[in-house]
Amino acid sequence: MLFGFLSLFALASASLGILLGTCFRDPDKCRAVAIWTAVLLAPLGGLWWPIEIVGPTMRRISYIVPTGWAMEPVNAMLAFGAGAGEVAPFAAAFAVMFIVTFALASRRLETSIT
């Protein structure tokens, strides 16, 4: 279950990265934006500290960012033995994110080649 969820998260993250990469012509600017995006999304989603120890505002923010969508079910699976029912809404969100960002990235790449 954990491997499947993390694979879906990786697919969604990769397609989002490809989509964002199509927005830049300069590879250095793209690299800088990618690094800063990762650095900012990590703590907001609870990757640097448990989201349970922060205040209610930060908890709400963690539900907005994809890293927060990933950390809650991963923590639930590892710490509390959560099953498919608890993980399904987050997996569905990543599946939708993958489909949308992959389609948009494909379209942008297709138009930039021709």
Side-chain angles (χ1 to χ4, degrees):
M1 175 72 105
L2 181 64
F3 178 75
F5 180 78
L6 291 177
S7 297
L8 191 55
F9 173 66
L11 282 171
S13 298
S15 64
L16 179 61
I18 293 169
L19 177 62
L20 291 176
T22 64
C23 298
F24 296 93
R25 291 193 183 272
D26 183 12
D28 291 330
K29 287 181 184 175
C30 182
R31 187 177 310 114
V33 168
I35 290 170
W36 280 107
T37 300
V39 167
L40 292 173
L41 289 181
L44 291 176
L47 282 103
W48 289 359
W49 50 72
I51 205 67
E52 293 83 14
I53 67 169
V54 298
T57 303
M58 286 301 294
R59 283 191 200 149
R60 279 188 232 114
I61 291 172
S62 75
Y63 286 114
I64 297 171
V65 297
T67 49
W69 304 346
M71 285 307 295
E72 184 172 332
V74 167
N75 285 339
M77 283 186 277
L78 294 177
F80 305 111
E86 293 90 359
V87 175
F90 298 98
F94 282 120
V96 169
M97 182 178 158
F98 167 68
I99 291 167
V100 169
T101 56
F102 187 77
L104 291 173
S106 297
R107 181 168 293 161
R108 286 185 58 91
L109 284 171
E110 190 175 88
T111 58
S112 69
I113 292 173
T114 57

